[in-house]
């Protein structure tokens, strides 16, 4: 659900969700300053998107599949130019206290 929420935001914007609001700023582990937080709901899942307030880049997201559950957390990093815009080339995915995996992204030209 977490990566699906990222895709939905990238392709459809906020219109891809049932409800969206700006929560304000919040600390994010590893970030040098507070992040802007956008909260979105769709298909019963809540997702929090954390953005760099200076560059507007997505730093991380947390998806809560059900109330009271641990979130699936995705950290985005290694931003480089791809197709004329900065895109993340690395993902770290965690669930609960365990790291699910580290992934490299290779953006292909259409």
């Amino acid at each position: 659900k977490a990566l699906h929420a990222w895709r939905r935001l990238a392709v459809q914007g906020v219109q891809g969700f049932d409800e969206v609001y700006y929560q304000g700023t919040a600390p994010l582990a590893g970030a040098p300053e507070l992040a802007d937080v956008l909260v979105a709901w769709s298909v019963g899942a809540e997702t929090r998107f954390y953005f760099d307030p200076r560059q507007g880049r997505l730093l991380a997201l947390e998806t809560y599949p059900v109330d009271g559950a641990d979130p699936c957390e995705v950290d985005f990093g290694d931003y480089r130019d791809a197709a004329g815009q900065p895109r993340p080339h690395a993902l770290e995915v965690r669930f609960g206290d365990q790291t699910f995996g580290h992934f490299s992204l290779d953006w292909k030209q259409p």
Side-chain angles (χ1 to χ4, degrees), residues 1-109:
K1 287 188 177 191
L3 293 179
H4 182 73
W6 174 39
R7 182 182 186 284
R8 180 178 289 164
L9 182 66
V11 173
Q12 299 176 14
V14 296
Q15 294 81 10
F17 297 91
D18 298 330
E19 184 178 344
V20 177
Y21 69 89
Y22 175 68
Q23 180 178 324
T25 59
L28 179 65
E33 60 185 309
L34 296 176
D36 284 323
V37 182
L38 189 69
V39 180
W41 279 276
S42 184
V43 193
E46 176 185 323
T47 301
R48 297 177 188 170
F49 298 95
Y50 294 83
F51 292 92
D52 179 311
R54 295 183 190 270
Q55 297 178 332
R57 295 178 180 173
L58 182 61
L59 300 172
L61 66 81
E62 300 172 335
T63 296
Y64 296 81
V66 295
D67 286 340
D70 284 337
C72 176
E73 302 171 30
V74 180
D75 289 335
F76 298 86
D78 189 20
Y79 272 84
R80 289 183 268 141
D81 186 66
Q85 57 186 326
R87 294 185 179 177
H89 283 76
L91 300 178
E92 180 179 336
V93 181
R94 291 181 307 282
F95 185 75
D97 294 334
Q98 295 191 338
T99 298
F100 180 76
H102 297 269
F103 303 92
S104 295
L105 302 176
D106 183 13
W107 297 91
K108 301 287 185 190
Q109 298 289 338

